[in-house]
Amino acid sequence: MRDLRELYKLESNLCRTFETVRHFIANANSSVITSELIGVRLERLEDAFKQFQLVRTEIELQTDAEVTGVDDPEQELALMNARADEDASIAMEKENDFCNLKGELLRLLSLTSGSDHVAKKSSTSISEPLETTASLARVKLPEIRLPTFNGDINFWVTFRDSFHSLIHSSDQLTAMDKFFYLRSALTGEALQEVSSVEMTAANYDVAWAALKRRYENRKLIVKNYINALFNVEVIRKESYDG
């Protein structure tokens, strides 16, 4: 059997574990904690409380034996009652301490588990588009040729929509890049429309606005479409090509 000195030393070490857990809880908001780390602290606390109960019982048995050695029965009873009250107070205090600390750890565990679930869900929702993008990247798509425009208003709408989709609305191209692509896509009269605009990043919007101002004429576009319909060559003989 272990002596009282050794038992008191063990009891002190177990109480130190309680204080370590208390310090961990107090600093939980200022440090990064995980559910796994909280689980380890919870396991340590429960193990320390079980060991404390065993050590405390052994201490009580040994101290009770010392009290029963008193010759005066009344003094012996008084000492035993006082010892029982002290032992009950110590046991109650430590049990309350254990319950409070365990409750705080479980609260932290529920908060951390909820955050981990949200983070995992967010990570999943972010990774899914990335995986989809990666899958698309492995597919060899046909090359899209940059449209050209020579100033014929009949082809302005097609050029405008195509260029806007491929170049103008791209977030990966700088204004200077877009201006370069615009100049390379223009020929004839359309190129002359922006030839006087200095080729700088700041002037890209100026050149694009000049083209829209010159060719974005709805009435003229409709008129040209109607003329094209009326100018369709009359079929003189039924045929597949006709």
Side-chain angles (χ1 to χ4, degrees):
M1 181 180 289
R2 294 173 290 192
D3 58 24
L4 280 174
R5 182 179 179 182
E6 183 181 356
L7 291 172
Y8 282 128
K9 181 66 175 177
L10 288 173
E11 186 181 48
S12 177
N13 290 337
L14 293 170
C15 290
R16 192 175 298 116
T17 301
F18 277 66
E19 293 304 316
T20 302
V21 173
R22 197 188 319 279
H23 180 75
F24 172 80
I25 294 172
N27 292 276
N29 293 330
S30 59
S31 59
V32 179
I33 60 174
T34 62
S35 56
E36 291 80 9
L37 186 57
I38 296 174
V40 172
R41 294 291 182 180
L42 186 59
E43 184 179 347
R44 287 274 293 160
L45 179 66
E46 292 176 341
D47 184 62
F49 183 61
K50 291 178 182 178
Q51 293 296 322
F52 176 84
Q53 288 178 311
L54 294 176
V55 171
R56 174 91 320 239
T57 300
E58 196 170 341
I59 290 175
E60 291 174 5
L61 290 173
Q62 292 200 34
T63 53
D64 286 346
E66 293 178 354
V67 172
T68 55
V70 178
D71 294 335
D72 186 352
E74 292 184 0
Q75 184 181 2
E76 179 182 351
L77 180 60
L79 289 174
M80 288 184 65
N81 289 335
R83 175 65 65 182
D85 290 341
E86 182 182 353
D87 291 340
S89 177
I90 293 174
M92 186 180 298
E93 179 183 355
K94 192 54 63 178
E95 183 172 349
N96 288 335
D97 200 15
F98 166 73
C99 292
N100 291 333
L101 292 175
K102 183 175 181 178
E104 285 297 313
L105 286 175
L106 291 175
R107 182 184 65 83
L108 288 174
L109 183 62
S110 64
L111 293 175
T112 307
S113 298
S115 299
D116 291 344
H117 175 71
V118 172
K120 183 178 180 181
K121 183 177 180 181
S122 300
S123 176
T124 302
S125 63
I126 291 174
S127 63
E128 286 177 354
L130 292 177
E131 291 174 359
T132 303
T133 303
S135 299
L136 290 175
R138 290 194 293 268
V139 178
K140 180 61 176 178
L141 297 175
E143 183 180 354
I144 301 177
R145 298 186 61 182
L146 189 65
T148 59
F149 180 62
N150 62 0
D152 187 341
I153 198 170
N154 292 315
F155 301 104
W156 164 249
V157 175
T158 300
F159 170 77
R160 180 200 63 192
D161 292 348
S162 299
F163 188 85
H164 190 280
S165 175
L166 295 173
I167 305 299
H168 185 76
S169 62
S170 176
D171 295 330
Q172 299 178 350
L173 297 175
T174 65
M176 192 63 187
D177 294 334
K178 295 176 182 180
F179 201 172
F180 174 80
Y181 281 117
L182 180 62
R183 289 286 294 267
S184 64
L186 299 177
T187 60
E189 180 186 320
L191 181 59
Q192 292 179 5
E193 191 68 30
V194 299
S195 60
S196 60
V197 180
E198 184 180 0
M199 196 167 180
T200 64
N203 284 339
Y204 166 70
D205 289 334
V206 175
W208 182 247
L211 288 174
K212 292 184 68 175
R213 187 169 52 253
R214 171 68 175 81
Y215 298 104
E216 197 79 25
N217 189 327
R218 292 174 61 91
K219 290 184 178 181
L220 186 58
I221 292 174
V222 171
K223 180 182 177 181
N224 278 273
Y225 284 162
I226 292 175
N227 290 336
L229 288 174
F230 282 109
N231 291 331
V232 171
E233 185 179 354
V234 178
I235 300 178
R236 302 185 183 280
K237 183 179 180 181
E238 292 185 3
S239 65
Y240 176 80
D241 292 336

